[in-house]
């Protein structure tokens, strides 16, 4: 089954007298178990497409289906299949990594919370940082935290908006390795990026 199907997506924004065409008849498909990167310059419409996929904004026309369900009309069902990693999730002041994950596990209504938390800590390589206050994590580990938090809800499709932006070469590489590990674990991943180097090159993005 397709994890994601975008058909003829159109979205315009009005800014003063100007009309900005953020999505101009975009169509794409992602099969379950794939990693797909949206590559494009600033303003290309990447975040707009991701927001529409999460049901955060309404298209002018076209449709988006997540595992066969309409991203907008069936938003509730879709939200159980999907999670978004933007790097802007709250890192409540003073809470440790594990306590913050407990907090999010409650919000997501996760069953078997402690088991789920152990699993996501292990998956993201955060177990050694569990006692650290989350806001004091380095950027690379903060990114892992956002991924761990998203995994708690048990999504089949992960949306990542620029997961390696602002990271040093090594941290960015580790996040890309983690993305592959998530795919090997059965997740489907749509990410946006400005990263254009070949996999064995050393630049960051
Ligand atoms: N809420 C909004 N109101 C007005 N214009 C918007 C809105 N959201 C996005 N836009 C415009 O739509 C276009 C696409 O924006 P979008 O954020 O999707 O691009 P992007 O590919 O994510 O860019 P970046 O690489 O900078 O994150 C831009 O011209 C942007 O200014
Ligand atoms: Mg963007």
């Amino acid at each position: 089954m397709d994890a994601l199907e975008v058909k003829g997506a159109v979205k315009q924004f009005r800014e003063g007298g100007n009309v900005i065409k953020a999505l101009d008849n975009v169509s794409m498909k992602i099969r379950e178990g794939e990693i797909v990167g949206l590559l494009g310059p600033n303003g290309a419409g990447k975040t707009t497409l991701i927001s529409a996929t999460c049901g955060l904004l309404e298209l002018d026309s076209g449709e988006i289906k997540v595992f066969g369900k309409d991203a907008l009309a069936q938003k509730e069902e879709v939200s159980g299949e999907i999670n978004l990693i933007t790097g802007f999730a709250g890192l409540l002041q003073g809470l440790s990594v594990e306590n913050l994950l407990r907090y999010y596990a409650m919000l997501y209504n996760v069953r078997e919370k402690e088991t789920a938390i152990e699993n996501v800590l292990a998956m993201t390589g955060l177990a050694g940082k569990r006692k650290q206050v989350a806001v004091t994590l380095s950027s690379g580990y903060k990114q892992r935290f956002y991924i761990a938090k998203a995994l708690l809800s048990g999504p089949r499709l992960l949306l990542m908006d620029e997961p390696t932006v602002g990271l040093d070469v090594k941290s960015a590489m580790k996040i890309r390795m983690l993305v592959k590990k998530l795919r090997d674990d059965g997740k489907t991943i749509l990410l946006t990026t400005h990263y254009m180097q070949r996999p064995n090159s050393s630049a960051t993005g």
Side-chain angles (χ1 to χ4, degrees):
M1 173 187 277
D2 290 324
L4 180 70
E5 185 178 11
V6 179
K7 261 200 241 165
V10 174
K11 180 71 189 179
Q12 295 187 341
F13 294 106
R14 253 163 254 280
E15 272 289 305
N18 296 332
V19 175
I20 299 159
K21 221 166 200 181
L23 299 177
D24 187 5
N25 197 16
V26 176
S27 297
M28 67 182 289
K29 272 186 184 185
I30 303 182
R31 275 173 299 165
E32 193 164 9
E34 282 185 334
I35 300 172
V36 171
L38 292 175
L39 178 73
N42 296 129
K46 304 180 296 293
T47 300
T48 303
L49 183 63
I50 283 201
S51 302
T53 303
C54 298
L56 295 173
L57 66 81
E58 198 173 340
L59 295 174
D60 297 334
S61 60
E63 61 173 20
I64 300 182
K65 287 195 166 162
V66 178
F67 294 107
K69 293 171 193 145
D70 190 276
L72 205 63
Q74 294 171 282
K75 197 168 155 178
E76 290 290 306
E77 287 122 295
V78 167
S79 72
E81 306 272 28
I82 211 171
N83 211 327
L84 170 66
I85 298 158
T86 59
F88 295 110
L91 293 175
L92 298 183
Q93 291 288 342
L95 282 192
S96 66
V97 165
E98 63 181 6
N99 282 336
L100 197 48
L101 287 174
R102 288 194 181 105
Y103 167 80
Y104 283 114
M106 258 166 17
L107 284 189
Y108 289 141
N109 222 346
V110 174
R111 275 176 274 155
E112 311 277 349
K113 290 185 184 53
E114 294 304 315
T115 313
I117 289 166
E118 289 312 315
N119 286 343
V120 301
L121 284 171
M123 177 54 106
T124 56
L126 267 176
K129 305 276 182 192
R130 61 198 306 150
K131 301 286 182 200
Q132 191 171 333
V133 174
V135 283
T136 70
L137 291 170
S138 67
S139 303
Y141 277 95
K142 273 193 187 122
Q143 189 59 35
R144 290 177 198 225
F145 176 83
Y146 299 134
I147 295 171
K149 166 194 168 277
L151 290 174
L152 273 180
S153 72
R156 287 203 282 163
L157 174 64
L158 278 167
L159 305 174
M160 300 182 164
D161 205 359
E162 300 186 25
T164 58
V165 74
L167 299 187
D168 67 59
V169 175
K170 244 188 173 165
S171 305
M173 218 160 70
K174 284 183 182 159
I175 294 297
R176 284 194 285 275
M177 278 162 57
L178 175 54
V179 168
K180 282 189 191 150
K181 198 162 100 176
L182 292 170
R183 189 264 323 269
D184 295 343
D185 198 45
K187 307 290 183 196
T188 305
I189 294 139
L190 173 64
L191 56 86
T192 72
T193 184
H194 298 117
Y195 181 77
M196 287 185 61
Q197 305 300 318
R198 277 168 281 121
N200 58 356
S201 137
S202 61
T204 187

